[in-house]
Structure formats: structure tokens, C-alpha cells
Amino acid sequence: MATVLMCRRLPRLSRVTAFSTTAKRKAERGSSKSKKEKRDKPGAAKTGTQSGATIQLLKPQDYRVLYNPAAYAKGRAGSQQHVDRDGSQALGDTFTGPGTAQALQTFPTASSQALAPVRNALPKPKSSTLLEQTALASLDKEEAEKEKREVHNSKEDPRTFQKGRPEYRPLTCDSAEPAQTLPAEEGDSILQSVAGCEGSPGILTDYFLKLSRLPAERRAALVSDPRFSALCHRAVTAIRLFSTPDLIQILKACVPLAVPASHPLLNACEAEFCRRAWDMGLEQLLLVADCWRCLDRSVPSYLGILFSYANLHWKDLTLPQFVQLLYIIGEGRRSPADLVQKVESTILKHMDAFTLEELGAICLGLFKSLSGISEHVMRRIADRVSLQMEDMSTYALVNVLKMLRYTRMDHLPLMRELGRVIPARIPATNIQGIMHITLTYSSLHFFDEDVLAAVATSLPSKVSYCRSKDAAKFLWSFGCLDYEPPNEEEFYSSLIKQLHAKLHEFSKFPEHLLTALLGLAFVKRFPEELIDLALREEFVQKTRGSKYELNKDLFTLGKSVEIECPTYRGSRLTPQLCQEFTEMVSGFAEQEIYVRPEIVEATSLLESMLGGPEYVKNHMILPHTRSSDLEVRLAADGRPIPFNFKDPVTAQKLKDVGVSLTDDLMSQLIQGRAHNQSPTEVGNEARIPRQERGDTTGTPCLGAALSAGATSQAEPKPGLWQPGQVRLALQVSNRNHFCYSSRRLLGLHCLKRRQLRLLGYVVVEIPFWEWFPLLKRTRSEKLSYLHYKVFCPALLTRA
């Protein structure tokens, strides 16, 4: 046997050192991290273990992000081919809807002057070659590992629920090995007699049943046997002569015989069952549908008839028939709209009678078929699961989590119990199950250090079984929650290595590469060779042709690299693309972000306090982060500097928008919008004439603030940064910028702050837990609060 010695270079990973404003926080984190994590964990009394990371590769100190990549942002209206995505949908700052899974997109930064050069800049001539070599090597490795069947990569059986009741037997096709096998000699005898037999339906049925009992190795060779083809031809010719029970027996026999899905016999059977369907019983229809599933054959016409039949006979459905029907709906990836209400009412009717495995099967069926489900029904399911979680299999539990994630519903009792039960199960759970558990936490913005630490500990030994999608979602989830596990370097290096091993998958699934790289960017890691691949023109064209909206993700990645990796020499987005993306995001922000009531109120008060609209600008300093900033500039002596001369129209628009701060609106801002209320309705409630607020431009300014006419200094040109100036970037945050029920920033919003600091801005937080309660207080109280934030003496020392 020849021996091959392969020499591989390790992938380059740029890691920017911490900027000066966060170095102190990193040191503080080392001594108080356990205390902080305990505070950050929603509703938890457990104290997390202290992170023991030692290597510093591109990891920011002060950012946690909640950002849902566009690849998983289709939500309920998205592609039916990728139903296990995150489900959060829009441009960062736009959602305040029900639950806690809104994905707001904000990115932190550091100071460019304090940013150390990126190590190991991308070599120009060899990066492409290395990527190609890595892809070839990974293909060879996959071929060598095909024979290694490992438990962590095994597919769970979605039919396990059928073993819980004997009533499922007449509804399902048993694909297990026959109890009594037929001798191979008898099988040869049957095949020999095909040519001379009369071909009566009874004899043909008996032949198929006997051949299905042959040993597995003998059955595998039947499909290519001309004598078996002759038998199938006889059955097709006589298809209408078979009784319905006999025809069902032939279809069932095709399962152990492994007849290909496109075989002419199955074509004839499908057409005949569609013709007879209305004369069959529901039990027979479900059994035939189960056979089609076992044969992996798509039969949309037959399923359409089955669903129509079930709709007409809904009152006759037994509990097992209902669960089996939902299983078929899920496996068919098709959601009949006219059954939604009936499905929900039946779930509620049998809620206490379902086994836990059946609840898991129901959730999986609804999830796979992208079927909507009301929050009330999902909450009832979650209520029961949270009380009996220890008795539930991990597979069924993961299926419930998928639907919980899909409905974007927060359920604190379930998440608390999950945090207690699931860490011990992580080592025995397959990689896809672990991925869905992790994605649930990040999608719901729920931080639980015990669960994440268990995932990080278990993952490196299983990482070779990750698909590109799995690796991408792990990276995004940890970045979203801004969690640095104790084994962070082992964790991240193993996943980055797996991304290199899966390079060949990214040409087909470009969204996975972008998702992974964004997750890494959240934690200040920039693998240069992968970034170079993602920003190449040919890869950009692939993303532009994707069914997903990936432009925003490309924009975020490309601009983040520009800011945080000054020595990067690889591919970049073209200026034309950046301009296109900026215009796209800006148009959206003007309609959805700048007009949010808490931002409008802060802008209006700052204008009055500082002296006019030229002293404050509501815009996106970093358009690729897709969230707004209130920019204010101060001279070294604390005087506000006018600079917003370009956009008087926008400033006037902001003044014309009033906000009625009712009790209902305050409740929505602080606790989330009512579930039956749309964003448009909330906006309409918030608008009243400006004069009703008593807001006038003549209000005297406070402290060092100047009125509009009080300045005699020369107006600086827009964009010109004067020496000694302090540029403030005020962040009016809301609850969706943070982990659930905590003050822990999500990764995306940390990334934004980091990048603002890199560009020299001083980030000033106006957190929702301080600002929202003030919105109903007096005008002077609000002005005093903003005055303190803007004219804090500590800010001037940074000039």
C-alpha cells in the first residue's frame, strides 16, 4: 500500500487586539465575569463558570449581538426548502414584535488608532491555491470516512412515536427486516416462473410478498434482474385488476425491495391510487401515504387528495390518525391552509392525551411544513413539556424547540427547565440536535451559560460531523449571544477548520459561509482566506443569485473587514456595490428606524437643548450595521458644534412627528408590542400634532448648551473633523438589543459599538431601562437626563 504524506498549512486567522477603551473592561471581566454572567442569565439563579480563555484572536471585549443573518431570515414566508433557519427577519432595528426573537442588527467597534495590525495578512498569490487544495483534501477525507458510521451524525428516526401505540400498525409501513426470510433458491424459482405464469392479480401479489422476504443482499440485486423487471411489467399491465388491499400489499412489498422512486411500477401505482382514493378509507389512505414516504417518492397529487379527504372526514379522525396525518404533512413539506384551524383545535382537544413523543412529532410536522400555529397553542404545548421534560426523549424535545423558535415565542418555564435538563444530555446528542438546541437559545436571545458551555465542551470532538450549515449556525449563535466559552480557542479553531473542510459546499450554499463569517466577526475573528473567498466577485455573484437576500450580510461583512482589518489584502466589495447597499439600507431606515417614537423624542429634545437641528443628526454612522445613531459634536471646552447642514429636510420631518406616550404605548415599549397589534398600528397610535406636546424650538438650553443663534464661530464643513472635537454617538437602545430579560448586549450591537470606537466616536448609551420610563415624565426631567448624558465631564477628557 502506498503511503502519502500530506502537508497542510493552517488557515490564517486574523485577530485584532483589543482597543484601549475596552482593555480595562477585559481586565475587569476577568475578576467579575462569574458575577456578571449570573446577572445576565434571565431568571436563573445559577452561577456560571468563569471563562478560562487565554489566546486573544480577534475577540471584542464589549459586544454581544443579536443579529439574524439573511440566510435564515425568511421567517414564515420563506423558502420551504430551508425550514430550520432562525426565522428572525428584518433589518436590525426594525422589530419590536411579540416574543423575544426579533433580530436587531447593530455592530460595535473600537478605535482605529488603538487597533493593532492584523497578523498574517493574506498572501496574494497562494490563497486561491490553498483553498483549492483544502477542498480537494477534504473531499478525499470525506471519502475515507464514509464507512465510519458515528452516533453523533446518525439521523434520528422521526417515526419513533409510532411505537407508542398499537393503533399505528394499520396506518404505517413496517420497514423492518421480515421475521421469516425466504430462501434464495425459492426466490429464484419465483423469478423463473414469471415468464410462464398467467399473471393473475392474486399470484402476482403473492410473488411480490414472497420476494420482499428474501435476504437483504439478495433483494438488493433484484431491481437489476430482468426477470424482476418482467414481473413488474406484468403488474403494471394488470394494475386495474388488483383489489385495493392487494395493490396496497404490492406497494408495501416495494419498500423492503427498495424499488427506485422513479420506477414505472410506482408510477402506475400512484396513478391508480389517485384514481381510487375517494373510494378508500382514511386508514388505507394514510397507510399508502406512509409507503410513499418510506419509498422517498414525492406524490403531491396524492397528498392533495388525502388532505381534502381528511378535511371532509375530520370529525372521524382518531388521535393516532391525526398524529400520523401531521407526520405525513411534515414529510411532504406541504401545509394545507384549510386545515390550520382544525389542526389547532384538535391539538387542544387531545393535549393531555398525547404522549410526549407524539407532541414532538406534531411539532416536527408543523415545522417541516412551515405551518403557522397560534401562540396560545404553542404555549399550551410548552406548558406541558416544561412539566415533563425529564421523561421526554432529546429528539422529541428538539422538535418542540424548533417550533418554539419558529413561532418566536418566549416561554421562561420551559427555557429554565431546559437549562436544568439539557446540559447533561449534550454529550450523547447528535450534532444536528445540538445545533438546533444552540440555535433556539440564540434565536430567542436567551443566554444560559451552562448550556452554551456544555455545547462548547462537546463540539470539538464531534465537529467533523458538522455540515456547513451546522458549523455556520454554531458560529452565528455563539457570536449572537457574545459568549466566550472556557475552551474558546479550541472551539473556534475546530469550527474554522471544518469550514475549510466544507469549502466545496459553499458554491451551492453561499449563505452558510456568510452566516459563519458574520458570527466570527461578532467575536472579532476574521479568517482571512475565507473572507477573501466570500468577497470575490464570482462568490458575490452567487449570493446575488441566491433565493435569500444576502446583500445586507455581504455589506456588513465587507465594511467590518475594512474597519477592523487594516492590513487585510484580499478581495473587497466594489465601491459601486457598497453604494447600492447603502442606498438600500438608508431607504429602509428612513421609513422604519428613524421614526421610532423613542428615537424621535430623543432627537427632538436634543435639538431643543443644543440649539437646533444643525447640532444633532439622526442617521446611521455605520450603514452596514443597520441601526440609527444620534450624532452630536462637542468642542474641547464642551460647547456643541453645529455640523448638520446637509439635511434640513429630514430634521424638519422629525420635528413634525409627535408621540403620544400613552400607558399602552409605554407597556409596548418596555414589555413588547401586544401580540395582536401590528407595527403600523403602534405607529399610528404614536402620532399626534407637535403642538400638543408643547415642544417649541425656543426652549432655553441647559448648562453649556448653546441656542441656535448664540454661536459666532465659523461653521465647519460637514464631515471635517476638527482637532479637539468629541464626536458622540448616542445609542437609543431597546429591549431587542439585549439578551432576553437582561442587560447583556447582543453580539451585533456590540460589534457596532466596537467599530464606532475604532473610528474615534465616543459611544453614549441611552438604555431602554432608563429612557423608556422617562418618556412619560416631564419635559424638564427628560432634558436633564439628556444633558447629563451629553455633557458628562468624562467625555471631554477624551477630546
Side-chain angles (χ1 to χ4, degrees):
M1 177 182 295
T3 300
V4 179
L5 179 63
M6 296 185 67
C7 181
R8 287 183 58 189
R9 274 178 18 200
L10 292 175
R12 280 190 176 79
L13 180 68
S14 294
R15 171 102 172 197
V16 182
T17 57
F19 44 88
S20 59
T21 56
T22 58
K24 182 177 179 181
R25 291 185 196 173
K26 175 113 184 176
E28 293 171 351
R29 228 170 160 178
S31 61
S32 61
K33 185 167 184 179
S34 296
K35 199 176 298 181
K36 182 177 186 296
E37 299 305 345
K38 181 176 180 180
R39 182 201 72 194
D40 289 339
K41 184 183 293 188
K46 296 175 285 187
T47 302
T49 56
Q50 185 172 353
S51 174
T54 56
I55 301 179
Q56 298 185 2
L57 289 171
L58 285 180
K59 186 171 45 174
Q61 309 303 325
D62 290 331
Y63 81 92
R64 291 122 191 153
V65 173
L66 174 66
Y67 168 76
N68 290 333
Y72 311 120
K74 291 294 183 177
R76 298 168 193 163
S79 166
Q80 295 193 15
Q81 298 178 11
H82 290 265
V83 298
D84 57 348
R85 59 196 174 278
D86 169 39
S88 296
Q89 296 181 12
L91 293 170
D93 231 351
T94 64
F95 282 103
T96 52
T100 57
Q102 274 62 25
L104 299 179
Q105 298 149 344
T106 318
F107 294 18
T109 62
S111 162
S112 60
Q113 297 152 343
L115 182 64
V118 177
R119 295 180 303 171
N120 301 327
L122 183 70
K124 300 172 186 175
K126 295 186 178 180
S127 62
S128 175
T129 304
L130 176 59
L131 291 174
E132 293 168 1
Q133 290 173 347
T134 307
L136 291 173
S138 65
L139 286 172
D140 294 339
K141 183 178 179 181
E142 285 192 0
E143 289 295 326
E145 291 185 351
K146 274 186 178 179
E147 298 178 2
K148 294 167 69 176
R149 303 296 295 270
E150 197 264 348
V151 63
H152 304 306
N153 195 40
S154 62
K155 284 284 186 180
E156 298 279 1
D157 184 6
R159 303 160 64 85
T160 302
F161 72 95
Q162 297 170 351
K163 301 174 183 177
R165 299 179 191 267
E167 293 89 341
Y168 284 108
R169 290 174 187 166
L171 307 176
T172 59
C173 176
D174 185 6
S175 57
E177 287 295 314
Q180 295 180 346
T181 58
L182 189 74
E185 298 77 13
E186 190 170 344
D188 288 333
S189 176
I190 290 173
L191 294 174
Q192 290 291 352
S193 61
V194 169
C197 75
E198 299 177 0
S200 66
I203 294 175
L204 294 176
T205 302
D206 186 61
Y207 283 173
F208 275 99
L209 291 176
K210 287 182 176 179
L211 291 174
S212 68
R213 290 166 43 212
L214 284 171
E217 62 276 6
R218 186 69 183 89
R219 294 198 308 267
L222 275 181
V223 176
S224 58
D225 193 318
R227 296 171 297 177
F228 181 73
S229 299
L231 175 63
C232 293
H233 179 72
R234 284 182 175 273
V236 170
T237 303
I239 197 77
R240 294 207 173 186
L241 301 178
F242 290 100
S243 66
T244 299
D246 282 350
L247 193 58
I248 292 175
Q249 290 301 315
I250 290 178
L251 188 63
K252 288 180 66 176
C254 289
V255 175
L257 289 170
V259 176
S262 59
H263 198 280
L265 175 60
L266 298 185
N267 295 339
C269 286
E270 181 186 354
E272 187 61 18
F273 278 122
C274 286
R275 190 180 69 84
R276 300 186 188 191
W278 290 102
D279 298 323
M280 296 164 61
L282 185 58
E283 190 175 274
Q284 291 178 319
L285 290 169
L286 289 171
L287 173 57
V288 170
D290 199 56
C291 290
W292 291 130
R293 176 57 193 153
C294 291
L295 289 164
D296 200 24
R297 179 180 171 95
S298 176
V299 286
S301 297
Y302 178 83
L303 292 182
I305 298 173
L306 168 62
F307 299 153
S308 297
Y309 187 100
N311 194 16
L312 290 176
H313 299 83
W314 195 263
K315 293 182 179 180
D316 300 328
L317 258 68
T318 64
L319 185 152
Q321 288 174 341
F322 169 72
V323 179
Q324 180 68 14
L325 177 64
L326 281 186
Y327 164 74
I328 295 298
I329 288 174
E331 295 305 305
R333 306 304 200 271
R334 179 178 176 185
S335 175
D338 53 345
L339 296 184
V340 173
Q341 292 297 327
K342 293 182 177 180
V343 166
E344 290 199 359
S345 63
T346 305
I347 291 175
L348 294 175
K349 175 183 175 182
H350 296 295
M351 179 62 68
D352 296 330
F354 291 127
T355 67
L356 294 173
E357 299 305 308
E358 285 172 335
L359 281 177
I362 288 169
C363 288
L364 182 61
L366 293 171
F367 180 76
K368 284 186 173 181
S369 61
L370 296 179
S371 299
I373 185 174
S374 69
E375 180 175 328
H376 172 64
V377 175
M378 190 64 234
R379 195 166 292 279
R380 286 286 308 277
I381 294 175
D383 287 341
R384 182 167 173 212
V385 169
S386 64
L387 295 175
Q388 299 178 278
M389 190 177 295
E390 286 190 343
D391 301 324
M392 196 173 197
S393 72
T394 303
Y395 177 70
L397 179 57
V398 166
N399 291 335
V400 173
L401 295 181
K402 290 178 182 179
M403 202 59 199
L404 189 74
R405 190 177 81 224
Y406 182 69
T407 55
R408 300 186 198 155
M409 191 195 76
D410 58 306
H411 194 283
L412 192 56
L414 184 145
M415 298 304 292
R416 283 176 173 168
E417 184 67 6
L418 186 67
R420 188 183 69 83
V421 170
I422 207 64
R425 296 190 186 186
I426 292 292
T429 304
N430 67 34
I431 202 71
Q432 281 75 40
I434 298 174
M435 179 272 290
H436 282 293
I437 292 168
T438 309
L439 190 59
T440 298
Y441 278 91
S442 61
S443 298
L444 299 180
H445 304 178
F446 200 98
F447 178 81
D448 189 313
E449 183 176 9
D450 291 344
V451 174
L452 296 177
V455 170
T457 300
S458 180
L459 187 64
S461 64
K462 305 177 182 182
V463 75
S464 61
Y465 302 99
C466 282
R467 302 164 296 177
S468 59
K469 176 167 68 173
D470 301 324
K473 291 183 179 180
F474 278 123
L475 290 169
W476 177 78
S477 295
F478 274 68
C480 168
L481 296 173
D482 186 38
Y483 178 62
E484 302 168 3
N487 64 332
E488 57 175 314
E489 297 310 325
E490 180 189 22
F491 174 79
Y492 281 109
S493 62
S494 65
L495 283 170
I496 292 173
K497 181 179 179 182
Q498 186 67 3
L499 292 179
H500 279 267
K502 297 294 180 181
L503 283 178
H504 57 282
E505 295 184 13
F506 295 134
S507 59
K508 185 176 181 181
F509 305 109
E511 63 272 13
H512 299 332
L513 180 58
L514 289 181
T515 299
L517 292 176
L518 284 173
L520 287 167
F522 293 163
V523 291
K524 210 174 182 182
R525 284 173 162 82
F526 295 91
E528 296 181 350
E529 290 163 349
L530 293 176
I531 291 171
D532 177 58
L533 172 63
L535 298 182
R536 288 179 190 171
E537 184 177 355
E538 56 269 26
F539 190 87
V540 170
Q541 291 305 315
K542 286 182 183 295
T543 64
R544 305 271 283 182
S546 171
K547 61 190 170 187
Y548 298 115
E549 172 51 64
L550 301 178
N551 292 338
K552 299 183 292 294
D553 295 344
L554 270 175
F555 188 32
T556 301
L557 177 64
K559 299 302 287 186
S560 294
V561 170
E562 284 186 18
I563 295 172
E564 301 205 48
C565 304
T567 61
Y568 170 74
R569 296 294 180 266
S571 304
R572 296 183 184 271
L573 296 178
T574 65
Q576 294 79 7
L577 270 181
C578 289
Q579 181 62 29
E580 176 188 335
F581 296 159
T582 299
E583 292 173 358
M584 172 187 67
V585 173
S586 299
F588 179 86
E590 289 178 1
Q591 298 178 13
E592 301 291 339
I593 299 178
Y594 300 154
V595 296
R596 295 180 65 165
E598 67 271 20
I599 296 176
V600 170
E601 182 76 355
T603 304
S604 178
L605 289 168
L606 285 169
E607 288 176 358
S608 298
M609 183 180 79
L610 299 176
E614 63 269 25
Y615 290 90
V616 59
K617 186 172 185 179
N618 179 8
H619 68 131
M620 292 182 293
I621 297 173
L622 302 175
H624 63 278
T625 64
R626 290 160 266 170
S627 61
S628 67
D629 308 90
L630 300 183
E631 183 175 356
V632 173
R633 300 183 189 179
L634 303 177
D637 59 0
R639 292 177 305 148
I641 300 173
F643 68 97
N644 185 23
F645 306 110
K646 274 191 170 184
D647 200 12
V649 176
T650 299
Q652 186 60 41
K653 283 182 181 178
L654 288 173
K655 286 187 176 183
D656 291 339
V657 179
V659 180
S660 176
L661 298 172
T662 63
D663 290 336
D664 184 56
L665 179 58
M666 284 302 304
S667 175
Q668 294 162 20
L669 288 172
I670 297 173
Q671 300 177 9
R673 189 173 61 246
H675 303 310
N676 59 349
Q677 199 169 19
S678 69
T680 305
E681 292 170 336
V682 172
N684 291 338
E685 288 182 5
R687 296 169 187 265
I688 63 169
R690 172 184 172 82
Q691 56 269 27
E692 292 183 21
R693 275 186 314 170
D695 190 9
T696 63
T697 57
T699 303
C701 57
L702 301 176
L706 300 176
S707 65
T711 178
S712 60
Q713 66 186 67
E715 296 179 349
K717 296 180 180 180
L720 183 61
W721 202 316
Q722 300 295 326
Q725 249 185 45
V726 178
R727 286 194 176 191
L728 307 183
L730 280 71
Q731 305 299 303
V732 183
S733 63
N734 65 59
R735 59 196 291 271
N736 290 312
H737 294 182
F738 298 84
C739 291
Y740 177 81
S741 190
S742 82
R743 296 180 181 181
R744 182 186 182 94
L745 263 178
L746 293 164
L748 175 64
H749 302 286
C750 292
L751 179 144
K752 176 187 179 181
R753 285 152 175 78
R754 184 174 77 235
Q755 292 179 359
L756 284 171
R757 293 185 182 106
L758 277 168
L759 297 177
Y761 284 88
V762 176
V763 176
V764 178
E765 298 290 348
I766 303 181
F768 73 93
W769 58 85
E770 294 177 356
W771 181 237
F772 285 9
L774 278 172
L775 291 178
K776 289 201 69 178
R777 305 298 291 269
T778 65
R779 175 181 175 81
S780 62
E781 287 177 293
K782 289 181 280 190
L783 286 170
S784 296
Y785 173 82
L786 292 174
H787 181 271
Y788 170 77
K789 288 289 186 178
V790 171
F791 296 106
C792 176
L795 299 180
L796 300 179
T797 63
R798 307 183 192 184

